[in-house]
Amino acid sequence: MLVVDDQASVVELLRLLLEQDDRFGLVWSAHDAEPAILGATERQPDVVVLDASLGEDDGLALIPDLRRAAPGVAVVVFSSAPYADRHSARLAGADAFVEKGTDLDLVLDTIAEARRIVDLTLVEAWS
């Protein structure tokens, strides 16, 4: 898993939650676009949790690059940016959207569901 957010406190919270949940494995992090692409290329995560606003970088615009770097990755936008919502995340190519401030159990369930759907799609593509 790769968590991409420019707020260190968000990254650490998600890392702790994801690593304590049996549905997820190791969690890496990046704070902006370049390390996110490098991390996705090197580590091939199955899920990227991405903030729509990464300081000077547009997280939504990063989605196609993440998909090229890690084909088959599930992308979950986790953001409170005023321009980010379920519709804009889907248009950008994300698999799911969760607003920051949402109940943490729902955040984890959404990430797990996005991963499951992408896994099923890959299985069907190879069948």
Side-chain angles (χ1 to χ4, degrees):
M1 300 211 51
L2 175 60
V3 175
V4 185
D5 198 302
D6 60 339
Q7 294 180 320
S9 59
V10 171
V11 170
E12 287 309 309
L13 174 63
L14 285 175
R15 175 180 289 178
L16 286 171
L17 290 170
L18 292 165
E19 288 180 346
Q20 292 176 4
D21 191 310
D22 292 338
R23 297 175 290 182
F24 309 106
L26 292 175
V27 178
W28 295 280
S29 63
H31 297 288
D32 55 29
E34 189 174 327
I37 297 301
L38 183 61
T41 301
E42 291 178 352
R43 296 187 174 104
Q44 293 297 299
D46 51 357
V47 178
V48 173
V49 179
L50 176 67
D51 190 359
S53 176
L54 299 172
E56 295 181 18
D57 296 322
D58 177 355
L60 297 179
L62 189 61
I63 294 172
D65 294 331
L66 289 168
R67 292 204 179 279
R68 279 189 292 279
V73 69
V75 178
V76 178
V77 174
F78 181 60
S79 187
S80 60
Y83 57 86
D85 59 17
R86 187 174 317 278
H87 181 70
S88 63
R90 292 276 184 194
L91 285 176
D95 298 293
F97 172 83
V98 184
E99 188 170 353
K100 286 183 180 177
T102 298
D103 177 78
L104 293 175
D105 288 332
L106 181 58
V107 172
L108 294 173
D109 290 346
T110 301
I111 294 169
E113 181 64 11
R115 178 178 171 197
R116 187 185 73 76
I117 290 169
V118 168
D119 287 346
L120 287 175
T121 303
L122 290 174
V123 167
E124 289 174 6
W126 288 100
S127 297

